[in-house]
Amino acid sequence: IILREQIDFATILYNKGLYKQALKILDKTKQTAIELEEKDIAYEIVEFEKVVESQYITRSIDTRADDLIADAKHLGKLNALNSKLSNLSLKLYSMMLSNGFATNDKEKEHILHFFDQQMPKKDLELMGFREKLWYYKAHVWKFLLLQDFIGAYKYSLQWVDLFYTHKEMIQNHPVWFMKGNSYLLNALFFLRKRKRFEFWLKKLEVTLNRNFPRNENTEAVEFTILYNSKMNLLFLKGEYEDASQLIKEINEHKKFHDTKIDDHHILILQYKIASTYLGNRDYENCIQELEKIVYHKTTSVRDDLSFNSRMLTLMAMLDSGLDENFENFMEESRRMQKKMKHGSPFYQLTLDLFQEIYDVFPDQRKVVAQKYLKIFQEMME
């Protein structure tokens, strides 16, 4: 906003014929834009400088023209690289939200082929902050899609380190700083690295409490990331009895951010809340919480989240004996599974597992579980 205000001031001076003063403001604003890695604005300023220079003739026009042409070419190349990297990152993010993790070799090959085709071949050392940021983002999403959490950890760590190396960028791009921490913590959660998880969560909280930019957007993002991470830490510890206070905090804060957070992130929190209820054997609240996902009014619920919510519901029904609706719910789940855009043999087998457990006597359930465990293990080999 401040940079664009300066461009507006320069425009007013230009329109008054005060070319020298306009160029002075533009040059200073351009340097600030470059320092803040706002290269698209810097390129816009260079193009404006060309217009002003064409009206303000001086003896140094030859060297000045060469400088502006060189700036335009350099910034143009970086902006083109930024665009390619951001397009790749956004497409991978879209694939993740639409389809979830890759579940077979064919899907993994498709992701790798797409990534290799779209990733620009550039020397990382020649990239600035913004280019490196998009480069790391794209790699994080690739590895998350592939369920390669070591790779996701490696690149999300570089993403976060990039901000801690350039601390001024935390103020300028607070959301991307928090997002990088979110992916870092998610990767550590999947790798079950509790000590490292606690270290980076604590470091994030300390940073957020130190003169961090505050507005409705950053507060909504902070709420989502912090409470998802705190729930994940609870799962790593296995201390479900400590969940009640955390759930109370989530419900108190959620009402202030509901309109600013997309449905997917709200539903993920609800799924985690339901999981803590299951861990505490509070089956009624578990089922009630899951119903908010299973019977969500919009079609924005991701297939795998909807299916896993149904599986958790079936688990709660079987564990609690609240299974009077089991057959109807199972039939609904089978219909849903057949309509999934990206199904997997695991989904069908999981439904078969729960059906068999429901059909046999309680003392035979362990045998059924062991049979399916062997089948799942063979499929993974």
Side-chain angles (χ1 to χ4, degrees):
I1 292 173
I2 293 171
L3 291 172
R4 293 203 173 278
E5 278 183 348
Q6 294 301 308
I7 295 173
D8 290 342
F9 292 147
T11 303
I12 292 170
L13 292 170
Y14 167 74
N15 288 334
K16 290 184 175 181
L18 301 172
Y19 305 130
K20 184 177 181 180
Q21 292 89 334
L23 286 171
K24 187 175 180 180
I25 288 179
L26 288 174
D27 185 62
K28 184 178 180 181
T29 307
K30 179 176 65 178
Q31 296 308 316
T32 304
I34 291 172
E35 289 171 7
L36 296 175
E37 294 285 332
E38 297 292 342
K39 296 183 181 114
D40 48 348
I41 295 179
Y43 182 83
E44 182 182 333
I45 292 171
V46 169
E47 292 300 311
F48 192 8
E49 284 181 301
K50 290 180 186 178
V51 173
V52 180
E53 285 286 358
S54 68
Q55 308 294 320
Y56 179 59
I57 306 299
T58 69
R59 293 178 183 272
S60 61
I61 186 64
D62 286 344
T63 56
R64 180 66 176 150
D66 289 340
D67 289 342
L68 288 174
I69 291 169
D71 285 347
K73 286 182 178 180
H74 177 66
L75 290 168
K77 287 179 181 178
L78 290 176
N79 283 332
L81 176 59
N82 257 320
S83 180
K84 289 178 182 178
L85 289 169
S86 62
N87 288 344
L88 173 58
S89 179
L90 184 62
K91 181 59 180 177
L92 292 169
Y93 180 67
S94 173
M95 291 165 68
M96 183 68 181
L97 290 185
S98 300
N99 310 328
F101 297 129
T103 57
N104 54 54
D105 289 340
K106 183 178 179 181
E107 290 180 0
K108 289 180 179 180
E109 288 173 9
H110 170 71
I111 292 165
L112 287 170
H113 178 73
F114 173 78
F115 185 88
D116 291 340
Q117 288 290 315
Q118 299 298 319
M119 172 55 71
K121 301 296 186 283
K122 294 289 181 181
D123 187 346
L124 189 61
E125 294 303 316
L126 299 178
M127 296 182 186
F129 175 90
R130 183 69 70 89
E131 293 77 42
K132 288 180 180 178
L133 179 59
W134 283 115
Y135 180 85
Y136 296 145
K137 285 181 192 176
H139 280 82
V140 166
W141 279 111
K142 178 187 79 170
F143 286 117
L144 284 177
L145 282 165
L146 297 174
Q147 299 192 64
D148 181 347
F149 301 117
I150 293 176
Y153 166 71
K154 173 185 174 183
Y155 281 95
S156 58
L157 180 60
Q158 291 181 79
W159 176 344
V160 172
D161 277 342
L162 184 66
F163 273 97
Y164 282 121
T165 302
H166 302 273
K167 288 186 171 61
E168 70 281 1
M169 291 301 176
I170 296 176
Q171 293 289 321
N172 297 317
H173 302 287
V175 171
W176 286 124
F177 167 73
M178 289 189 287
K179 290 282 188 180
N181 278 275
S182 175
Y183 300 134
L184 173 60
L185 290 166
N186 282 338
L188 289 170
F189 171 72
F190 286 123
L191 293 170
R192 300 293 186 267
K193 300 295 184 182
R194 177 181 157 186
K195 294 297 182 185
R196 291 186 196 176
F197 186 100
E198 290 179 305
F199 170 82
W200 285 106
L201 177 57
K202 181 65 176 176
K203 188 168 185 176
L204 172 61
E205 289 183 290
V206 169
T207 304
L208 292 176
N209 289 325
R210 286 181 180 170
N211 195 31
F212 194 78
R214 298 287 174 190
N215 56 49
E216 291 184 9
N217 181 43
T218 58
E219 287 175 357
V221 174
E222 179 182 342
F223 162 77
T224 305
I225 291 172
L226 276 185
Y227 280 103
N228 262 303
S229 299
K230 288 180 178 180
M231 291 294 282
N232 284 347
L233 180 57
L234 186 146
F235 295 136
L236 286 174
K237 291 179 176 179
E239 298 171 353
Y240 302 110
E241 63 277 4
D242 295 338
S244 58
Q245 180 58 36
L246 197 54
I247 293 171
K248 183 180 178 182
E249 289 179 26
I250 290 171
N251 289 329
E252 286 176 353
H253 286 84
K254 185 161 68 71
K255 58 188 176 185
F256 297 109
H257 305 296
D258 265 354
T259 59
K260 305 174 192 72
I261 303 173
D262 60 89
D263 284 348
H264 174 74
H265 286 97
I266 292 294
L267 294 174
I268 288 289
L269 270 175
Q270 289 175 336
Y271 182 82
K272 291 180 179 180
I273 289 171
S275 299
T276 65
Y277 284 137
L278 186 70
N280 276 325
R281 296 181 173 83
D282 185 352
Y283 301 113
E284 289 190 23
N285 276 323
C286 174
I287 293 170
Q288 288 175 12
E289 199 69 31
L290 290 167
E291 284 177 349
K292 298 175 186 177
I293 306 173
V294 171
Y295 300 114
H296 192 61
K297 292 180 181 179
T298 71
T299 57
S300 61
V301 185
R302 208 169 72 189
D303 276 353
D304 58 348
L305 176 58
S306 180
F307 185 82
N308 288 334
S309 297
R310 287 181 172 276
M311 294 305 95
L312 208 61
T313 302
L314 290 170
M315 194 182 299
M317 287 179 174
L318 290 170
D319 283 354
S320 65
L322 302 170
D323 57 0
E324 62 274 5
N325 193 39
F326 184 92
E327 292 287 2
N328 290 335
F329 192 79
M330 175 61 79
E331 187 59 34
E332 282 181 17
S333 300
R334 288 194 184 279
R335 287 198 299 268
M336 180 263 177
Q337 184 262 326
K338 289 177 182 177
K339 293 178 182 178
M340 290 175 70
K341 295 178 183 177
H342 301 274
S344 164
F346 281 99
Y347 296 143
Q348 178 66 52
L349 275 170
T350 306
L351 288 170
D352 293 343
L353 163 63
F354 283 119
Q355 185 66 61
E356 279 201 42
I357 288 177
Y358 177 74
D359 290 338
V360 301
F361 290 107
D363 61 347
Q364 296 177 310
R365 288 180 172 179
K366 185 175 181 179
V367 175
V368 172
Q370 288 174 334
K371 180 181 80 170
Y372 276 88
L373 176 60
K374 185 176 181 181
I375 296 171
F376 286 133
Q377 288 173 334
E378 288 174 352
M379 289 180 66
M380 294 292 288
E381 291 176 355

